[in-house]
Amino acid sequence: MGNQLALIDSHPLIVESSNASTLVLQGEAATQAWAQALAQVLQSAPVYRNTFIALQGELGAGKTTLVRHLLHALGVTGRIKSPTYAVVEPYSVADWAIWHFDFYRFEDPQEWEDAGFRDIFASPGLKLAEWPDKAGGLLPPADLTLHLQVPSQLQSDDARSLLLSAATPDGQALAALLQHLPQGRVP
């Protein structure tokens, strides 16, 4: 993983905040390496087993690809389906509940409430949500928000800009650990 982490370029903060940083992932191998490192951080302490990670970005930005690599790194085996039509795909790894949501098709935030997702978000487990804005203000605050973009100034079509921000104390602790990943320091 060390060589793959070299594919991740660390860039100065885009947002003036101690809770946000931006990385450039130079292709899918770098995305996979970063997801593997994120998995190690999430597994490093019991408190991170209940993290809520929101994924934002336009269609094709790489949200589902990042989640697939993360789920495989966490130990999910087999095919990982996009929850675009099902809205949620549940997983379990060694008594760890993991839910992958995709709210892209929501027309009204009330659909989140009607589907009973409040109960899932109130229960223990890792929650990964693509298109969280489609659920309106009904979602709890995300511990981490990962905003993926395909910046026009990057040389490679495979490169992605990843803005990581934290909104909770647990998210801030996770972000602090994750900001060291480009240097290869993984707990």
Side-chain angles (χ1 to χ4, degrees):
M1 182 167 59
N3 290 342
Q4 290 178 338
L5 283 176
L7 299 171
I8 304 170
D9 294 333
S10 182
H11 286 271
L13 295 177
I14 289 177
V15 177
E16 296 254 345
S17 167
S18 61
N19 301 329
S21 63
T22 300
L23 306 170
V24 175
L25 303 173
Q26 297 289 351
E28 189 167 345
T31 300
Q32 181 178 15
W34 194 84
Q36 289 169 341
L38 173 58
Q40 287 182 311
V41 171
L42 289 170
Q43 293 169 325
S44 71
V47 68
Y48 300 139
R49 292 172 64 92
N50 298 316
T51 299
F52 169 31
I53 300 175
L55 294 104
Q56 298 179 338
E58 297 299 318
L59 285 172
K63 299 177 297 296
T64 302
T65 298
L66 177 67
V67 169
R68 280 186 181 129
H69 288 305
L70 174 61
L71 291 172
H72 280 302
L74 290 171
V76 174
T77 58
R79 184 171 175 259
I80 295 174
K81 300 183 295 183
S82 171
T84 299
Y85 293 99
V87 182
V88 63
E89 290 291 339
Y91 301 95
S92 182
V93 177
D95 296 327
W96 187 6
I98 302 169
W99 289 276
H100 179 198
F101 295 89
D102 186 333
F103 299 124
Y104 179 73
R105 300 214 177 271
F106 274 19
E107 297 291 327
D108 183 332
Q110 187 61 36
E111 292 177 69
W112 182 84
E113 187 73 51
D114 295 343
F117 293 147
R118 182 178 303 280
D119 293 337
I120 292 175
F121 275 84
S123 67
L126 176 64
K127 289 88 175 176
L128 308 164
E130 298 182 42
W131 300 96
D133 54 312
K134 297 278 193 156
L138 297 174
L139 288 173
D143 296 298
L144 286 178
T145 298
L146 307 179
H147 189 97
L148 290 151
Q149 289 184 291
V150 183
S152 58
Q153 73 270 19
L154 294 178
Q155 303 287 330
S156 168
D157 289 340
D158 287 357
R160 299 293 187 261
S161 171
L162 172 64
L163 172 66
L164 177 130
S165 60
T168 67
D170 288 343
Q172 291 167 6
L174 265 173
L177 292 170
L178 291 168
Q179 287 174 350
H180 296 291
L181 292 182
Q183 291 80 34
R185 286 180 272 168
V186 178

